[in-house]
């Protein structure tokens, strides 16, 4: 049934080898891998004895091809970014080759971004992938309640991925990026965030960056939007190479875990953690402001305003972000409406903050608790959060509610 998809695209997913010892686990694994491709609406595996023999089987895989190209429109809302929208075209089986092509854009009050990517998931017969990414981004940081500056970024990446198992993968990226940083008109040392001013005076406002990164992922979550079991680890190591105008590095770790309580998936315990660190090296004195981490708001420490936690600049009365990120969350998921699987309700507790280098102090961590209700709509979850800070300071910007559309936590 593969009229468009080339035979080699199907054969490279086979775990039952021709001429090998028949294994029903390998036959089923091959069927599952074909289903995961997303190219086919139906996959069936049929076995029958070879006529005239008593120890041989024929294995036939029947597939029905579906649509592999789609146009999509994205709309959403977060209490930090406001409304956002975008669109993309995706071709997951370009010309029947199994290669993936994607082009898209997103727009919000703070960000305009355009992207193009092309991926060959089987650059080698061992499953090593190779892809290319082209991006252009304009971002105004003053629109997300942090220091007043803007960046224009244009870049290209070459990426390679190697499968370590069915759940884990190691990826490498090499690329180039040009970054132009713009300060507000009339910026001086007295009306600009101190760290931002010091960085631009030392390093200028235009940077050619040669960059590399290594990413390890291990993910066996059983659902994209509403997982009930499994765990996900991601370690992302990034470095701007010594030939760059600004030399710095970033390291970030993300963890999520879900575990069903009892025999059903109605009651679930969840835990998550984020750790991050950024620093300059070599001749670069200050880590760039666009390498900073931020905390506060949905996706971080709920009960505090978006990006409001951490180091605070007295010149501009704004949060500047920090080079050290620590955040954790614990959740108890339960069914408020048993006949509505598209609705997820939970109780949560968040702890975290961001710090300047050398400034971490457990006593400065912020904490909150609350209730969250999410409804899975055609454009992603619509989430309402009611939060109560448990540990805050007088100067903190707190909030009791968060509303998002199109994002999972």
């Amino acid at each position: 049934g593969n009229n468009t998809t080339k035979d080699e695209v199907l054969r490279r997913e086979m775990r039952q080898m021709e001429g090998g010892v028949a294994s029903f686990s390998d036959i089923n694994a091959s069927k599952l891998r074909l289903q995961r491709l997303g190219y086919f609406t139906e996959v069936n595996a049929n076995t029958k004895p070879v006529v005239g023999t008593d120890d041989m089987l024929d294995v036939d895989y029947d597939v029905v091809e579906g649509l592999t190209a789609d146009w999509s429109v994205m709309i959403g809302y977060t209490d930090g970014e406001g409304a956002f929208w975008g669109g993309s075209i995706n071709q997951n089986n370009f010309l029947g080759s199994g290669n993936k092509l994607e082009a898209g854009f997103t727009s919000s009050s703070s960000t305009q971004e355009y992207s193009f990517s092309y991926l060959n998931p089987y650059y080698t017969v061992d499953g090593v992938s190779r892809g290319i990414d082209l991006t252009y981004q304009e971002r105004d940081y003053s629109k997300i309640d942090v220091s007043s500056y803007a960046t224009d970024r244009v870049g290209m990446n070459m990426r390679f991925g190697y499968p370590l198992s069915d759940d884990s993968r190691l990826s490498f990226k090499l690329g180039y990026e040009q970054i132009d940083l713009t300060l507000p008109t009339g910026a001086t040392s007295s009306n600009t965030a101190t760290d931002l001013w010091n960085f631009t005076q030392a390093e200028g406002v235009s940077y050619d960056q040669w960059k590399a990164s290594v990413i390890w992922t291990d993910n066996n979550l059983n659902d994209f939007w509403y997982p009930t079991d499994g765990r996900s680890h991601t370690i992302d190591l990034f470095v701007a190479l010594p030939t760059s105008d600004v030399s710095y590095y970033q390291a970030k770790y993300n963890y999520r875990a879900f575990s069903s309580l009892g025999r059903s998936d109605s009651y679930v315990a969840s835990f998550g953690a984020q750790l991050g660190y950024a620093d300059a090296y070599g001749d670069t004195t200050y880590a760039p402001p666009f390498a900073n981490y931020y905390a506060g708001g949905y996706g971080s420490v709920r009960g505090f305003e978006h990006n409001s936690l951490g180091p605070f600049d007295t010149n501009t009365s704004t949060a500047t972000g920090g080079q050290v990120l620590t955040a954790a969350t614990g959740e108890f998921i339960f069914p408020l409406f048993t006949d509505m699987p598209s609705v997820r309700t939970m109780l949560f507790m968040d702890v975290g903050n961001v710090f300047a280098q050398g400034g971490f102090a457990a006593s400065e961590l912020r904490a909150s608790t609350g209730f969250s209700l999410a409804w899975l709509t055609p454009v992603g979850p619509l989430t309402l959060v009611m939060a109560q800070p448990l540990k805050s300071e007088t100067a903190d910007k707190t909030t009791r509610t968060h509303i998002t559309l199109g994002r999972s936590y």
Side-chain angles (χ1 to χ4, degrees):
N2 54 313
N3 299 317
T4 300
T5 307
K6 298 176 182 178
D7 279 353
E8 65 184 59
V9 175
L10 281 73
R11 291 182 178 275
R12 67 194 184 192
E13 301 298 331
M14 295 296 104
R15 292 301 176 261
Q16 173 62 63
M17 298 293 102
E18 290 184 278
V21 177
S23 167
F24 284 101
S25 64
D26 289 340
I27 293 172
N28 289 329
S30 301
K31 175 184 175 181
L32 180 60
R33 291 180 67 87
L34 292 177
Q35 291 171 327
R36 286 176 175 174
L37 290 175
Y39 308 160
F40 311 112
T41 59
E42 187 176 337
V43 178
N44 294 301
N46 303 304
T47 61
K48 57 182 178 181
V50 176
V51 177
T53 69
D54 58 4
D55 61 350
M56 298 181 68
L57 287 174
D58 278 334
V59 182
D60 295 325
Y61 289 91
D62 296 323
V63 298
V64 178
E65 290 185 317
L67 296 176
T68 58
D70 66 85
W71 295 78
S72 63
V73 176
M74 173 185 66
I75 59 174
Y77 176 87
T78 68
D79 54 3
E81 294 265 1
F84 62 89
W85 71 288
S88 67
I89 179 173
N90 303 278
Q91 172 56 271
N92 288 327
N93 188 15
F94 186 62
L95 301 178
S97 65
N99 296 344
K100 300 179 181 180
L101 180 148
E102 181 176 0
F105 75 95
T106 57
S107 177
S108 70
S109 62
S110 68
T111 306
Q112 307 288 323
E113 185 167 1
Y114 304 87
S115 62
F116 171 85
S117 65
Y118 185 79
L119 175 68
N120 180 352
Y122 276 86
Y123 176 61
T124 72
V125 296
D126 298 321
V128 174
S129 63
R130 183 181 70 171
I132 186 171
D133 305 306
L134 304 174
T135 59
Y136 174 76
Q137 181 196 80
E138 299 176 0
R139 187 164 178 83
D140 184 350
Y141 285 81
S142 67
K143 301 293 186 180
I144 54 173
D145 302 323
V146 297
S147 299
S148 296
Y149 69 96
T151 57
D152 286 356
R153 309 171 76 140
V154 57
M156 179 184 73
N157 288 320
M158 183 71 73
R159 53 189 165 105
F160 297 87
Y162 185 78
L164 303 177
S165 69
D166 286 342
D167 298 328
S168 62
R169 190 171 189 85
L170 192 63
S171 301
F172 305 88
K173 290 183 181 180
L174 293 171
Y176 166 81
E177 186 175 39
Q178 181 180 5
I179 305 174
D180 293 318
L181 188 152
T182 304
L183 295 175
T185 302
T188 66
S189 60
S190 60
N191 64 12
T192 304
T194 301
D195 290 348
L196 175 61
W197 181 261
N198 290 340
F199 175 79
T200 56
Q201 295 305 297
E203 308 296 342
V205 294
S206 184
Y207 327 102
D208 290 324
Q209 298 296 101
W210 297 94
K211 54 186 185 177
S213 61
V214 179
I215 304 168
W216 172 75
T217 59
D218 182 30
N219 186 339
N220 70 351
L221 296 177
N222 62 354
D223 189 76
F224 181 79
W225 293 113
Y226 286 172
T228 59
D229 191 63
R231 75 301 174 254
S232 171
H233 303 267
T234 301
I235 297 176
D236 190 340
L237 306 176
F238 167 90
V239 61
L241 299 173
T243 53
S244 302
D245 289 339
V246 178
S247 300
Y248 70 100
Y249 62 91
Q250 294 171 292
K252 191 171 184 181
Y253 172 68
N254 278 282
Y255 174 72
R256 289 291 282 171
F258 295 82
S259 179
S260 298
L261 303 175
R263 296 183 178 180
S264 72
D265 292 336
S266 298
Y267 297 89
V268 178
S270 170
F271 177 77
Q274 301 178 66
L275 300 173
Y277 185 79
D279 198 3
Y281 73 94
D283 295 333
T284 301
T285 305
Y286 305 98
F290 46 80
N292 285 352
Y293 299 103
Y294 299 92
Y298 188 81
S300 175
V301 186
R302 289 163 281 193
F304 296 85
E305 291 188 9
H306 184 67
N307 291 342
S308 65
L309 295 179
F312 189 81
D313 184 78
T314 56
N315 284 352
T316 59
S317 299
T318 57
T320 60
Q323 295 80 45
V324 180
L325 165 68
T326 58
T329 185
E331 298 168 337
F332 172 63
I333 301 166
F334 60 94
L336 187 61
F337 307 102
T338 56
D339 58 344
M340 298 179 64
S342 62
V343 175
R344 168 168 278 193
T345 51
M346 69 178 71
L347 300 174
F348 68 84
M349 178 178 287
D350 296 337
V351 178
N353 209 336
V354 291
F355 304 88
Q357 289 173 10
F360 175 81
S363 60
E364 291 298 315
L365 291 172
R366 303 295 191 260
S368 65
T369 187
F371 169 81
S372 174
L373 184 149
W375 171 43
L376 188 57
T377 73
V379 294
L382 172 63
T383 305
L384 170 65
V385 175
M386 300 177 64
Q388 172 63 51
L390 295 176
K391 186 176 185 299
S392 61
E393 298 295 335
T394 303
D396 290 341
K397 298 179 180 180
T398 61
T399 182
R400 295 297 180 91
T401 60
H402 302 280
I403 299 176
T404 68
L405 174 64
R407 281 188 58 189
S408 60
Y409 186 80

